[in-house]
Amino acid sequence: MVTIRDIKTICTAPEGINLLVVKVETSEPGLYGLGCGTFAYRHLAVKLVVEEYLRPLLIGRDVSDINDIWQLMHQNGYWRNGPIENNAISGVDMALWDIKGKMANMPLYQLFGGKCREGVPVYRHVDGRDLSEICEYGHTPAGAPVGAKPGVYLDGNAYIRDTVKLFDGIRSKMGDEIGLVHDVHERIAPADAVRLAKELEPYHLTFLEDPVSLEQVEYIRQIKNASSIPIAEGELFNNPYEYRTLITERLIDYIRVHITQVGGITPARKLQIFAEQFGVRTA
């Protein structure tokens, strides 16, 4: 039996973004796993949970018992499904899957049943100072979002006007061949989100991401009634209850979550399988 010998955290900040890696060392010399526990805005809180609570709880346990260990971590603190705890759990969970893949000498997709497609479409983030730079896939600092008044507020009307103008320009210049997505980051009021989705409909987005905040997801029903634009939601989800209704009532087209925010690979796989049953795809 291979057991957990030690658990460590590694804090790093490439490009000024706080990242946290969890390293699970085993009783087998040279065998270890790495996992992501990044909660960039509260990374030191995650570090504390891993080192002060999960480490003493898990040392000596069988590294093969991933599901059992996940449930132990999830329920041990009684109050659960918070972003700090979920990111801490995720770091350990990913590291254990890393170890399992190394022990089996297989990539995880093989352990999960093998691939079901030869490739998947991917997208990249594009910034630019003007339409020409954006269409050339420029990557210059974006600064504040369109419509932002520094130190004051985000002007919803300006945001909608500038965003629609941008997509009109991209389609005019690039045609309909390229797929486009837009992430609202929950920045605007729900009523503005309904209007934005309606006005973006002619530009055939692959999806519009997080048009409303977690607290206002009831408005997604209005967005779906107003526009055929596909909706992706879930970047802030921590609790399965938060996405259950959206999926079962088919109010979103894509589930879009941080793997660490929901607690790692173990719950993310369950979420993807659950969403698939209702025709909700994973992005």
mmCIF file of all heavy atoms in Angstrom, residues 81-83 86-87 186 210 212-215 217 220 232-247 252 254-263 271:
data_model
loop_
_atom_site.group_PDB
_atom_site.id
_atom_site.type_symbol
_atom_site.label_atom_id
_atom_site.label_comp_id
_atom_site.label_asym_id
_atom_site.label_seq_id
_atom_site.Cartn_x
_atom_site.Cartn_y
_atom_site.Cartn_z
ATOM 1 N N ASN A 81 -18.527 23.562 0.975
ATOM 2 C CA ASN A 81 -18.832 24.197 -0.318
ATOM 3 C C ASN A 81 -18.481 25.678 -0.350
ATOM 4 O O ASN A 81 -19.128 26.462 -1.046
ATOM 5 C CB ASN A 81 -20.311 24.010 -0.697
ATOM 6 C CG ASN A 81 -20.615 22.583 -1.090
ATOM 7 O OD1 ASN A 81 -19.861 21.970 -1.837
ATOM 8 N ND2 ASN A 81 -21.719 22.044 -0.592
ATOM 9 N N GLY A 82 -17.443 26.067 0.360
ATOM 10 C CA GLY A 82 -16.927 27.423 0.268
ATOM 11 C C GLY A 82 -15.703 27.456 -0.636
ATOM 12 O O GLY A 82 -15.030 26.437 -0.830
ATOM 13 N N PRO A 83 -15.369 28.609 -1.215
ATOM 14 C CA PRO A 83 -14.259 28.680 -2.168
ATOM 15 C C PRO A 83 -12.898 28.368 -1.557
ATOM 16 O O PRO A 83 -12.046 27.763 -2.222
ATOM 17 C CB PRO A 83 -14.324 30.118 -2.680
ATOM 18 C CG PRO A 83 -15.058 30.878 -1.622
ATOM 19 C CD PRO A 83 -16.041 29.911 -1.052
ATOM 20 N N ASN A 86 -12.868 24.529 -0.887
ATOM 21 C CA ASN A 86 -12.895 23.787 -2.147
ATOM 22 C C ASN A 86 -11.561 23.855 -2.874
ATOM 23 O O ASN A 86 -11.121 22.874 -3.471
ATOM 24 C CB ASN A 86 -14.004 24.313 -3.052
ATOM 25 C CG ASN A 86 -15.364 23.741 -2.696
ATOM 26 O OD1 ASN A 86 -15.493 22.986 -1.728
ATOM 27 N ND2 ASN A 86 -16.380 24.099 -3.457
ATOM 28 N N ASN A 87 -10.908 25.006 -2.851
ATOM 29 C CA ASN A 87 -9.610 25.115 -3.508
ATOM 30 C C ASN A 87 -8.551 24.290 -2.784
ATOM 31 O O ASN A 87 -7.690 23.687 -3.428
ATOM 32 C CB ASN A 87 -9.185 26.584 -3.586
ATOM 33 C CG ASN A 87 -9.778 27.292 -4.785
ATOM 34 O OD1 ASN A 87 -9.230 27.247 -5.878
ATOM 35 N ND2 ASN A 87 -10.916 27.943 -4.591
ATOM 36 N N GLU A 186 -20.118 39.207 -15.032
ATOM 37 C CA GLU A 186 -21.187 39.671 -14.136
ATOM 38 C C GLU A 186 -21.107 41.174 -13.866
ATOM 39 O O GLU A 186 -21.523 41.649 -12.807
ATOM 40 C CB GLU A 186 -21.155 38.923 -12.778
ATOM 41 C CG GLU A 186 -20.957 37.438 -12.881
ATOM 42 C CD GLU A 186 -19.512 37.025 -12.669
ATOM 43 O OE1 GLU A 186 -18.734 37.815 -12.105
ATOM 44 O OE2 GLU A 186 -19.148 35.910 -13.068
ATOM 45 N N ASP A 210 -21.203 34.162 -18.283
ATOM 46 C CA ASP A 210 -21.513 34.839 -17.019
ATOM 47 C C ASP A 210 -22.173 36.201 -17.227
ATOM 48 O O ASP A 210 -21.658 37.233 -16.763
ATOM 49 C CB ASP A 210 -20.241 34.986 -16.180
ATOM 50 C CG ASP A 210 -19.807 33.654 -15.570
ATOM 51 O OD1 ASP A 210 -20.616 32.717 -15.575
ATOM 52 O OD2 ASP A 210 -18.670 33.553 -15.100
ATOM 53 N N VAL A 212 -24.809 37.282 -15.825
ATOM 54 C CA VAL A 212 -25.304 37.794 -14.543
ATOM 55 C C VAL A 212 -24.522 37.143 -13.409
ATOM 56 O O VAL A 212 -23.874 36.120 -13.580
ATOM 57 C CB VAL A 212 -26.818 37.510 -14.350
ATOM 58 C CG1 VAL A 212 -27.638 38.272 -15.372
ATOM 59 C CG2 VAL A 212 -27.111 36.007 -14.426
ATOM 60 N N SER A 213 -24.606 37.760 -12.247
ATOM 61 C CA SER A 213 -23.891 37.246 -11.081
ATOM 62 C C SER A 213 -24.591 36.015 -10.517
ATOM 63 O O SER A 213 -25.752 35.724 -10.838
ATOM 64 C CB SER A 213 -23.807 38.326 -9.999
ATOM 65 O OG SER A 213 -25.086 38.592 -9.468
ATOM 66 N N LEU A 214 -23.886 35.325 -9.654
ATOM 67 C CA LEU A 214 -24.427 34.127 -9.024
ATOM 68 C C LEU A 214 -25.737 34.408 -8.301
ATOM 69 O O LEU A 214 -26.653 33.583 -8.287
ATOM 70 C CB LEU A 214 -23.391 33.574 -8.031
ATOM 71 C CG LEU A 214 -23.774 32.349 -7.215
ATOM 72 C CD1 LEU A 214 -24.055 31.164 -8.125
ATOM 73 C CD2 LEU A 214 -22.668 32.016 -6.212
ATOM 74 N N GLU A 215 -25.852 35.596 -7.705
ATOM 75 C CA GLU A 215 -27.043 35.942 -6.942
ATOM 76 C C GLU A 215 -28.237 36.283 -7.825
ATOM 77 O O GLU A 215 -29.358 36.417 -7.327
ATOM 78 C CB GLU A 215 -26.746 37.139 -6.028
ATOM 79 C CG GLU A 215 -25.709 36.878 -4.940
ATOM 80 C CD GLU A 215 -24.276 36.977 -5.454
ATOM 81 O OE1 GLU A 215 -24.070 37.419 -6.611
ATOM 82 O OE2 GLU A 215 -23.366 36.605 -4.703
ATOM 83 N N VAL A 217 -29.038 34.608 -10.968
ATOM 84 C CA VAL A 217 -29.169 33.646 -12.062
ATOM 85 C C VAL A 217 -30.624 33.450 -12.502
ATOM 86 O O VAL A 217 -30.877 32.929 -13.593
ATOM 87 C CB VAL A 217 -28.544 32.272 -11.694
ATOM 88 C CG1 VAL A 217 -27.042 32.384 -11.575
ATOM 89 C CG2 VAL A 217 -29.164 31.713 -10.406
ATOM 90 N N ILE A 220 -31.480 34.530 -15.966
ATOM 91 C CA ILE A 220 -31.082 33.787 -17.161
ATOM 92 C C ILE A 220 -32.306 33.310 -17.931
ATOM 93 O O ILE A 220 -32.290 33.220 -19.163
ATOM 94 C CB ILE A 220 -30.150 32.612 -16.785
ATOM 95 C CG1 ILE A 220 -28.796 33.174 -16.310
ATOM 96 C CG2 ILE A 220 -29.947 31.671 -17.970
ATOM 97 C CD1 ILE A 220 -27.787 32.132 -15.939
ATOM 98 N N ALA A 232 -23.189 30.542 -21.252
ATOM 99 C CA ALA A 232 -22.284 29.766 -20.398
ATOM 100 C C ALA A 232 -22.270 30.423 -19.023
ATOM 101 O O ALA A 232 -22.191 31.642 -18.910
ATOM 102 C CB ALA A 232 -20.871 29.744 -20.977
ATOM 103 N N GLU A 233 -22.371 29.618 -17.989
ATOM 104 C CA GLU A 233 -22.456 30.182 -16.636
ATOM 105 C C GLU A 233 -21.748 29.255 -15.662
ATOM 106 O O GLU A 233 -21.714 28.036 -15.848
ATOM 107 C CB GLU A 233 -23.923 30.333 -16.221
ATOM 108 C CG GLU A 233 -24.142 30.993 -14.881
ATOM 109 C CD GLU A 233 -24.070 32.511 -14.917
ATOM 110 O OE1 GLU A 233 -24.222 33.082 -16.014
ATOM 111 O OE2 GLU A 233 -23.855 33.125 -13.857
ATOM 112 N N GLY A 234 -21.139 29.852 -14.616
ATOM 113 C CA GLY A 234 -20.648 29.004 -13.544
ATOM 114 C C GLY A 234 -19.275 29.302 -12.986
ATOM 115 O O GLY A 234 -18.780 28.555 -12.148
ATOM 116 N N GLU A 235 -18.620 30.373 -13.416
ATOM 117 C CA GLU A 235 -17.265 30.633 -12.945
ATOM 118 C C GLU A 235 -17.195 30.778 -11.424
ATOM 119 O O GLU A 235 -16.192 30.446 -10.810
ATOM 120 C CB GLU A 235 -16.710 31.891 -13.611
ATOM 121 C CG GLU A 235 -15.245 32.147 -13.291
ATOM 122 C CD GLU A 235 -14.659 33.287 -14.088
ATOM 123 O OE1 GLU A 235 -15.410 33.967 -14.816
ATOM 124 O OE2 GLU A 235 -13.442 33.517 -13.988
ATOM 125 N N LEU A 236 -18.268 31.260 -10.812
ATOM 126 C CA LEU A 236 -18.262 31.467 -9.365
ATOM 127 C C LEU A 236 -18.935 30.342 -8.589
ATOM 128 O O LEU A 236 -19.081 30.429 -7.373
ATOM 129 C CB LEU A 236 -18.957 32.795 -9.031
ATOM 130 C CG LEU A 236 -18.304 34.059 -9.590
ATOM 131 C CD1 LEU A 236 -19.075 35.295 -9.139
ATOM 132 C CD2 LEU A 236 -16.855 34.165 -9.167
ATOM 133 N N PHE A 237 -19.336 29.286 -9.254
ATOM 134 C CA PHE A 237 -20.048 28.211 -8.565
ATOM 135 C C PHE A 237 -19.132 27.475 -7.586
ATOM 136 O O PHE A 237 -17.997 27.123 -7.900
ATOM 137 C CB PHE A 237 -20.601 27.198 -9.571
ATOM 138 C CG PHE A 237 -21.787 27.701 -10.350
ATOM 139 C CD1 PHE A 237 -22.269 26.975 -11.439
ATOM 140 C CD2 PHE A 237 -22.418 28.874 -10.011
ATOM 141 C CE1 PHE A 237 -23.365 27.425 -12.161
ATOM 142 C CE2 PHE A 237 -23.518 29.338 -10.726
ATOM 143 C CZ PHE A 237 -23.989 28.607 -11.800
ATOM 144 N N ASN A 238 -19.645 27.231 -6.392
ATOM 145 C CA ASN A 238 -18.974 26.409 -5.387
ATOM 146 C C ASN A 238 -19.807 25.191 -4.997
ATOM 147 O O ASN A 238 -19.275 24.133 -4.700
ATOM 148 C CB ASN A 238 -18.728 27.222 -4.102
ATOM 149 C CG ASN A 238 -17.884 28.446 -4.333
ATOM 150 O OD1 ASN A 238 -16.705 28.350 -4.605
ATOM 151 N ND2 ASN A 238 -18.490 29.621 -4.211
ATOM 152 N N ASN A 239 -21.107 25.379 -4.977
ATOM 153 C CA ASN A 239 -22.037 24.400 -4.420
ATOM 154 C C ASN A 239 -22.857 23.758 -5.534
ATOM 155 O O ASN A 239 -23.365 24.464 -6.397
ATOM 156 C CB ASN A 239 -22.973 25.136 -3.436
ATOM 157 C CG ASN A 239 -23.819 24.210 -2.607
ATOM 158 O OD1 ASN A 239 -24.339 23.216 -3.101
ATOM 159 N ND2 ASN A 239 -23.983 24.534 -1.329
ATOM 160 N N PRO A 240 -23.009 22.432 -5.524
ATOM 161 C CA PRO A 240 -23.817 21.780 -6.566
ATOM 162 C C PRO A 240 -25.222 22.345 -6.697
ATOM 163 O O PRO A 240 -25.801 22.342 -7.779
ATOM 164 C CB PRO A 240 -23.854 20.313 -6.107
ATOM 165 C CG PRO A 240 -22.617 20.133 -5.312
ATOM 166 C CD PRO A 240 -22.389 21.444 -4.614
ATOM 167 N N TYR A 241 -25.772 22.852 -5.610
ATOM 168 C CA TYR A 241 -27.117 23.426 -5.668
ATOM 169 C C TYR A 241 -27.171 24.634 -6.602
ATOM 170 O O TYR A 241 -28.208 24.936 -7.193
ATOM 171 C CB TYR A 241 -27.572 23.838 -4.263
ATOM 172 C CG TYR A 241 -28.975 24.407 -4.221
ATOM 173 C CD1 TYR A 241 -30.080 23.558 -4.280
ATOM 174 C CD2 TYR A 241 -29.194 25.771 -4.150
ATOM 175 C CE1 TYR A 241 -31.365 24.071 -4.267
ATOM 176 C CE2 TYR A 241 -30.477 26.299 -4.127
ATOM 177 C CZ TYR A 241 -31.564 25.436 -4.186
ATOM 178 O OH TYR A 241 -32.832 25.939 -4.171
ATOM 179 N N GLU A 242 -26.056 25.323 -6.759
ATOM 180 C CA GLU A 242 -26.023 26.544 -7.552
ATOM 181 C C GLU A 242 -26.201 26.286 -9.041
ATOM 182 O O GLU A 242 -26.680 27.150 -9.776
ATOM 183 C CB GLU A 242 -24.704 27.293 -7.296
ATOM 184 C CG GLU A 242 -24.605 27.821 -5.877
ATOM 185 C CD GLU A 242 -23.208 28.238 -5.471
ATOM 186 O OE1 GLU A 242 -22.235 27.889 -6.176
ATOM 187 O OE2 GLU A 242 -23.077 28.906 -4.430
ATOM 188 N N TYR A 243 -25.799 25.125 -9.508
ATOM 189 C CA TYR A 243 -25.951 24.850 -10.937
ATOM 190 C C TYR A 243 -27.022 23.811 -11.252
ATOM 191 O O TYR A 243 -27.353 23.583 -12.404
ATOM 192 C CB TYR A 243 -24.621 24.426 -11.567
ATOM 193 C CG TYR A 243 -23.827 23.365 -10.839
ATOM 194 C CD1 TYR A 243 -24.233 22.045 -10.808
ATOM 195 C CD2 TYR A 243 -22.629 23.689 -10.208
ATOM 196 C CE1 TYR A 243 -23.494 21.087 -10.154
ATOM 197 C CE2 TYR A 243 -21.879 22.714 -9.560
ATOM 198 C CZ TYR A 243 -22.297 21.426 -9.539
ATOM 199 O OH TYR A 243 -21.551 20.478 -8.888
ATOM 200 N N ARG A 244 -27.610 23.182 -10.226
ATOM 201 C CA ARG A 244 -28.555 22.089 -10.467
ATOM 202 C C ARG A 244 -29.771 22.539 -11.275
ATOM 203 O O ARG A 244 -30.110 21.929 -12.293
ATOM 204 C CB ARG A 244 -28.998 21.486 -9.135
ATOM 205 C CG ARG A 244 -29.878 20.251 -9.296
ATOM 206 C CD ARG A 244 -30.140 19.607 -7.955
ATOM 207 N NE ARG A 244 -30.908 20.494 -7.069
ATOM 208 C CZ ARG A 244 -31.097 20.251 -5.764
ATOM 209 N NH1 ARG A 244 -30.543 19.198 -5.206
ATOM 210 N NH2 ARG A 244 -31.824 21.086 -5.035
ATOM 211 N N THR A 245 -30.416 23.614 -10.852
ATOM 212 C CA THR A 245 -31.616 24.076 -11.547
ATOM 213 C C THR A 245 -31.288 24.575 -12.950
ATOM 214 O O THR A 245 -32.031 24.311 -13.911
ATOM 215 C CB THR A 245 -32.302 25.196 -10.742
ATOM 216 O OG1 THR A 245 -32.682 24.674 -9.458
ATOM 217 C CG2 THR A 245 -33.550 25.691 -11.461
ATOM 218 N N LEU A 246 -30.189 25.298 -13.089
ATOM 219 C CA LEU A 246 -29.804 25.812 -14.408
ATOM 220 C C LEU A 246 -29.618 24.682 -15.409
ATOM 221 O O LEU A 246 -29.946 24.818 -16.594
ATOM 222 C CB LEU A 246 -28.515 26.631 -14.302
ATOM 223 C CG LEU A 246 -28.596 27.933 -13.499
ATOM 224 C CD1 LEU A 246 -27.222 28.585 -13.422
ATOM 225 C CD2 LEU A 246 -29.601 28.887 -14.126
ATOM 226 N N ILE A 247 -29.082 23.562 -14.941
ATOM 227 C CA ILE A 247 -28.854 22.416 -15.827
ATOM 228 C C ILE A 247 -30.146 21.644 -16.074
ATOM 229 O O ILE A 247 -30.511 21.376 -17.225
ATOM 230 C CB ILE A 247 -27.772 21.494 -15.236
ATOM 231 C CG1 ILE A 247 -26.397 22.183 -15.290
ATOM 232 C CG2 ILE A 247 -27.717 20.163 -16.002
ATOM 233 C CD1 ILE A 247 -25.300 21.413 -14.588
ATOM 234 N N ILE A 252 -29.052 27.009 -19.318
ATOM 235 C CA ILE A 252 -27.740 27.351 -19.849
ATOM 236 C C ILE A 252 -27.354 26.306 -20.891
ATOM 237 O O ILE A 252 -27.892 25.190 -20.924
ATOM 238 C CB ILE A 252 -26.670 27.421 -18.744
ATOM 239 C CG1 ILE A 252 -26.555 26.094 -17.979
ATOM 240 C CG2 ILE A 252 -26.957 28.577 -17.800
ATOM 241 C CD1 ILE A 252 -25.425 26.076 -16.965
ATOM 242 N N TYR A 254 -23.818 25.890 -21.704
ATOM 243 C CA TYR A 254 -22.494 25.401 -21.305
ATOM 244 C C TYR A 254 -22.317 25.587 -19.807
ATOM 245 O O TYR A 254 -22.676 26.635 -19.257
ATOM 246 C CB TYR A 254 -21.368 26.182 -22.007
ATOM 247 C CG TYR A 254 -21.287 25.969 -23.493
ATOM 248 C CD1 TYR A 254 -22.001 26.782 -24.365
ATOM 249 C CD2 TYR A 254 -20.466 24.975 -24.036
ATOM 250 C CE1 TYR A 254 -21.914 26.609 -25.741
ATOM 251 C CE2 TYR A 254 -20.372 24.795 -25.407
ATOM 252 C CZ TYR A 254 -21.100 25.608 -26.251
ATOM 253 O OH TYR A 254 -21.018 25.437 -27.606
ATOM 254 N N ILE A 255 -21.763 24.559 -19.164
ATOM 255 C CA ILE A 255 -21.311 24.739 -17.798
ATOM 256 C C ILE A 255 -19.863 25.188 -17.887
ATOM 257 O O ILE A 255 -19.074 24.647 -18.652
ATOM 258 C CB ILE A 255 -21.463 23.443 -16.968
ATOM 259 C CG1 ILE A 255 -21.205 23.720 -15.486
ATOM 260 C CG2 ILE A 255 -20.577 22.313 -17.471
ATOM 261 C CD1 ILE A 255 -22.284 24.493 -14.807
ATOM 262 N N ARG A 256 -19.530 26.226 -17.099
ATOM 263 C CA ARG A 256 -18.225 26.874 -17.249
ATOM 264 C C ARG A 256 -17.689 27.128 -15.854
ATOM 265 O O ARG A 256 -17.966 28.158 -15.244
ATOM 266 C CB ARG A 256 -18.409 28.174 -18.028
ATOM 267 C CG ARG A 256 -17.146 28.955 -18.279
ATOM 268 C CD ARG A 256 -16.360 28.390 -19.454
ATOM 269 N NE ARG A 256 -15.244 29.266 -19.784
ATOM 270 C CZ ARG A 256 -14.082 29.267 -19.139
ATOM 271 N NH1 ARG A 256 -13.883 28.439 -18.136
ATOM 272 N NH2 ARG A 256 -13.124 30.100 -19.494
ATOM 273 N N VAL A 257 -16.935 26.185 -15.297
ATOM 274 C CA VAL A 257 -16.518 26.314 -13.901
ATOM 275 C C VAL A 257 -15.001 26.248 -13.778
ATOM 276 O O VAL A 257 -14.310 25.702 -14.640
ATOM 277 C CB VAL A 257 -17.134 25.200 -13.016
ATOM 278 C CG1 VAL A 257 -18.638 25.267 -13.014
ATOM 279 C CG2 VAL A 257 -16.648 23.825 -13.458
ATOM 280 N N HIS A 258 -14.503 26.819 -12.679
ATOM 281 C CA HIS A 258 -13.123 26.592 -12.276
ATOM 282 C C HIS A 258 -13.066 25.209 -11.645
ATOM 283 O O HIS A 258 -13.806 24.921 -10.699
ATOM 284 C CB HIS A 258 -12.683 27.625 -11.250
ATOM 285 C CG HIS A 258 -12.256 28.919 -11.841
ATOM 286 N ND1 HIS A 258 -11.229 29.012 -12.749
ATOM 287 C CD2 HIS A 258 -12.701 30.184 -11.645
ATOM 288 C CE1 HIS A 258 -11.061 30.285 -13.082
ATOM 289 N NE2 HIS A 258 -11.955 31.005 -12.445
ATOM 290 N N ILE A 259 -12.163 24.362 -12.143
ATOM 291 C CA ILE A 259 -12.026 23.027 -11.555
ATOM 292 C C ILE A 259 -11.704 23.135 -10.067
ATOM 293 O O ILE A 259 -12.233 22.385 -9.236
ATOM 294 C CB ILE A 259 -10.925 22.233 -12.284
ATOM 295 C CG1 ILE A 259 -11.233 22.112 -13.777
ATOM 296 C CG2 ILE A 259 -10.772 20.845 -11.661
ATOM 297 C CD1 ILE A 259 -12.486 21.373 -14.095
ATOM 298 N N THR A 260 -10.843 24.095 -9.699
ATOM 299 C CA THR A 260 -10.475 24.212 -8.285
ATOM 300 C C THR A 260 -11.624 24.726 -7.435
ATOM 301 O O THR A 260 -11.760 24.360 -6.268
ATOM 302 C CB THR A 260 -9.271 25.150 -8.115
ATOM 303 O OG1 THR A 260 -9.631 26.484 -8.508
ATOM 304 C CG2 THR A 260 -8.099 24.697 -8.965
ATOM 305 N N GLN A 261 -12.453 25.566 -8.014
ATOM 306 C CA GLN A 261 -13.526 26.212 -7.252
ATOM 307 C C GLN A 261 -14.593 25.211 -6.816
ATOM 308 O O GLN A 261 -15.252 25.407 -5.789
ATOM 309 C CB GLN A 261 -14.159 27.324 -8.095
ATOM 310 C CG GLN A 261 -14.990 28.312 -7.336
ATOM 311 C CD GLN A 261 -14.143 29.369 -6.630
ATOM 312 O OE1 GLN A 261 -12.924 29.355 -6.709
ATOM 313 N NE2 GLN A 261 -14.787 30.262 -5.928
ATOM 314 N N VAL A 262 -14.781 24.152 -7.592
ATOM 315 C CA VAL A 262 -15.779 23.147 -7.220
ATOM 316 C C VAL A 262 -15.177 21.997 -6.428
ATOM 317 O O VAL A 262 -15.888 21.091 -6.005
ATOM 318 C CB VAL A 262 -16.527 22.594 -8.461
ATOM 319 C CG1 VAL A 262 -17.331 23.697 -9.125
ATOM 320 C CG2 VAL A 262 -15.581 21.934 -9.444
ATOM 321 N N GLY A 263 -13.846 22.011 -6.249
ATOM 322 C CA GLY A 263 -13.237 21.001 -5.392
ATOM 323 C C GLY A 263 -12.359 19.984 -6.078
ATOM 324 O O GLY A 263 -12.038 18.956 -5.474
ATOM 325 N N LEU A 271 -19.946 16.605 -12.243
ATOM 326 C CA LEU A 271 -20.700 17.715 -12.807
ATOM 327 C C LEU A 271 -20.827 17.573 -14.320
ATOM 328 O O LEU A 271 -21.917 17.751 -14.882
ATOM 329 C CB LEU A 271 -20.013 19.037 -12.462
ATOM 330 C CG LEU A 271 -20.515 20.290 -13.193
ATOM 331 C CD1 LEU A 271 -22.002 20.506 -12.949
ATOM 332 C CD2 LEU A 271 -19.711 21.512 -12.750
#
